[in-house]
């Protein structure tokens, strides 16, 4: 068997898995690959493969995600998992079931441990950058979250030791449905870790079987990444975290705007839209008295119309390091109406899992962050 190196089992390509199996008959790699990805099963569950072989693989590739905390909210429709990686770094994954929308199940994946982008309102940004995640660490989040969901719903066999050991559990049932959608909206900036993220997209598409139109990459606005996505060979969805439609405010909320200001960002979005004909979404976390006034909506209208973009509004989730609150329900609805009246498509996103801190980096954030000053209000 090939020496393991630092990589985990889910980091292996199919060819590398074949090499790792050595003299085993050729169909073994198909059995394992199909079982691990299309069926999302643990090695333990792949009983059609000899036990000795599975054990050798588990010994050679021990690096796997270990769940340290699991919590369930929204009447069992949201599951949040905090994983510890082989080197002790921690990342989180959220699985959301939408019974009203045809039983869709979405997994929100982290692409980095921490994030270097420093957005003031974001718990991950407040904690800083630790390291990039590998392709395997991203794919395994999806498979591991699905397996935990399945075992908790009682709709499948129990998950393997690697997804159960030593975790704290709260809440009850969660969906065991098949994962239908993936969003790269967990911790980290996927475009700053482009190649491993794209490999993860390919694996989820080609081998797990999730359609490109059901995969979304969210970026804070890294223009080179958007340009690469425009030329990529799978038409995945692009979400751009805009939050402000003028450079002064955006520089404060999203510091990377100083590097790629709004006009440069909009040009890259146009390139993506004309190359793919995929409609972009603009994410907008509504922050009370900072970006939730009618003037803010009015500045957003021409940008959204120029790109035929869909605007997703979400009231800011409070984080320990940011002293400003999310907008009130009334303000969220008034802001949405202002946009729709001007012909912009808008969705108000639900604050899934807010009682279990299921926003970007919050489960991990703890209380060590110190509060930063609120951005200056533009008049
Ligand atoms: N780095 C990428 C993807 C991860 S963040 C990006 O920024 O797009 C995923 C989404 O969560 C982004 O739209 C981000 O702006 C948003 N977000 C971060 N902190 C938030 C908070 N406290 N409340 C609401 N949304 C938040
Ligand atoms: Fe990073 Fe996105 Fe958080 Fe900004 S919002 S700090 S880009 S994870």
């Amino acid at each position: 068997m090939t020496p393991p190196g630092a990589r985990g089992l889910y980091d292996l390509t199919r060819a590398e898995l074949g090499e790792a199996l050595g003299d085993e008959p050729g169909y073994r790699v198909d059995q394992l690959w199909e079982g691990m990805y299309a069926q999302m099963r643990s090695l333990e569950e792949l009983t059609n493969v000899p036990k000795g072989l599975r054990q050798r693989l588990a010994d050679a590739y021990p690096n796997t995600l270990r769940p340290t905390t699991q919590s369930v909210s929204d009447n069992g429709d949201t599951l949040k998992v905090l994983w510890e990686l082989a080197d002790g770094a921690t990342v989180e994954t959220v699985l959301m079931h939408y019974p009203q929308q045809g039983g869709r199940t979405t997994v929100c994946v982290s692409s980095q441990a921490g994030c270097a982008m420093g957005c003031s309102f974001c718990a991950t940004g407040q904690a800083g950058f630790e390291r990039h995640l590998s392709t395997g660490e991203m794919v395994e989040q999806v498979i591991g979250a699905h397996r935990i969901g399945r075992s908790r719903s009682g709709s499948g066999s129990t998950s393997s030791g690697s997804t159960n050991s030593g975790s704290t559990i709260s809440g009850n049932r969660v969906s065991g449905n098949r994962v239908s959608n993936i969003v790269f909206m967990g911790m980290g900036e996927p475009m700053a870790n482009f190649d491993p993220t794209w490999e993860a997209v390919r694996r989820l598409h080609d081998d797990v079987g999730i359609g490109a139109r059901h995969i979304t990459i969210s970026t804070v606005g890294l223009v080179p990444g958007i340009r690469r996505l425009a030329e990529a060979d799978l038409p995945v969805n692009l979400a751009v975290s805009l939050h402000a439609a003028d450079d002064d405010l955006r520089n404060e909320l999203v510091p990377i705007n100083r590097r790629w200001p709004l006009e440069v960002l909009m040009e890259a979005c146009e390139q993506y839209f004309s190359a793919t004909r995929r409609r972009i979404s603009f994410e907008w976390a509504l922050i009370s008295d900072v970006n939730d006034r009618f003037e803010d909506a009015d500045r957003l209208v021409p940008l959204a119309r120029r790109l035929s973009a869909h605007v997703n509004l979400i009231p800011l989730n409070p984080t320990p390091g940011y002293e400003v609150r999310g907008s009130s329900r009334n303000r969220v609805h008034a802001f949405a109406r202002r946009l729709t009246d001007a012909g912009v498509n808008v969705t108000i996103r639900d604050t899934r899992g807010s009682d279990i801190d299921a926003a970007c980096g919050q489960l991990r954030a703890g209380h060590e962050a110190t509060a930063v000053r609120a951005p200056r209000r533009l008049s």
Side-chain angles (χ1 to χ4, degrees), residues 294-343:
F294 284 155
E295 304 94 280
D296 301 302
D298 294 345
R299 288 191 189 105
L300 170 57
V301 167
L303 303 187
R305 291 180 63 135
R306 173 173 162 191
L307 270 304
S308 307
H310 189 101
V311 174
N312 281 320
L313 300 175
I314 180 165
L316 184 85
N317 261 303
T319 58
Y322 190 65
E323 66 184 20
V324 196
R325 316 302 300 173
S327 306
S328 68
R329 212 182 131 76
N330 281 350
R331 192 71 83 89
V332 173
H333 283 274
F335 193 91
R337 222 171 15 253
R338 187 82 170 184
L339 294 174
T340 49
D341 286 350

Side-chain angles (χ1 to χ4, degrees), residues 81-279:
V81 184
L82 182 72
W83 310 97
E84 187 176 301
L85 309 180
D87 62 352
T90 53
V91 294
E92 57 197 43
T93 307
V94 186
L95 182 145
M96 292 157 285
H97 181 55
Y98 297 87
Q100 314 302 334
Q101 296 172 34
R104 179 161 68 85
T105 296
T106 298
V107 176
C108 178
V109 176
S110 293
S111 56
Q112 298 177 315
C115 183
M117 298 297 137
C119 303
S120 46
F121 52 86
C122 168
T124 308
Q126 289 156 16
F129 178 69
E130 204 166 337
R131 70 165 170 89
H132 294 304
L133 298 194
S134 70
T135 295
E137 287 168 333
M138 288 182 251
V139 174
E140 199 180 343
Q141 286 175 59
V142 176
I143 291 171
H146 167 74
R147 284 216 298 265
I148 293 175
R150 196 180 54 188
S151 69
R152 292 172 68 94
S153 74
S155 65
S157 45
T158 330
S159 49
S160 76
S162 71
T163 54
N164 265 343
S165 50
S167 46
T168 318
I169 298 180
S170 59
N172 311 308
R173 177 186 70 83
V174 79
S175 157
N177 286 27
R178 200 173 163 77
V179 175
S180 54
N181 295 65
I182 303 289
V183 293
F184 285 86
M185 287 189 182
M187 295 165 66
E189 169 51 47
M191 299 287 196
N193 186 21
F194 194 97
D195 291 329
T197 302
W198 191 252
E199 266 310 299
V201 166
R202 284 239 71 112
R203 190 79 54 82
L204 292 165
H205 175 270
D206 299 350
D207 302 313
V208 177
I210 296 169
R213 283 155 204 275
H214 294 150
I215 300 176
T216 299
I217 296 183
S218 176
T219 180
V220 69
L222 267 60
V223 162
I226 296 173
R227 293 209 180 106
R228 285 184 71 181
L229 204 62
E231 281 150 24
D233 52 359
L234 282 180
V236 300
N237 302 306
L238 172 66
V240 175
S241 298
L242 208 58
H243 308 309
D246 62 273
D247 281 318
D248 282 348
L249 180 58
R250 197 162 192 273
N251 285 345
E252 290 195 49
L253 293 175
V254 176
I256 200 69
N257 191 69
R258 294 173 195 272
R259 177 103 174 260
W260 292 290
L262 276 165
E263 188 45 38
V264 179
L265 176 58
M266 290 303 120
E267 280 163 20
C269 289
E270 275 174 339
Q271 185 188 343
Y272 168 89
F273 185 59
S274 62
T276 64
R277 303 315 295 172
R278 304 288 303 143
R279 193 171 66 174

Side-chain angles (χ1 to χ4, degrees), residues 17 28 64 127 148 255 290 328 345 369 377:
L17 180 64
R28 287 281 180 237
T64 189
I148 293 175
V290 171
S328 68
N345 286 310
R377 222 185 109 152

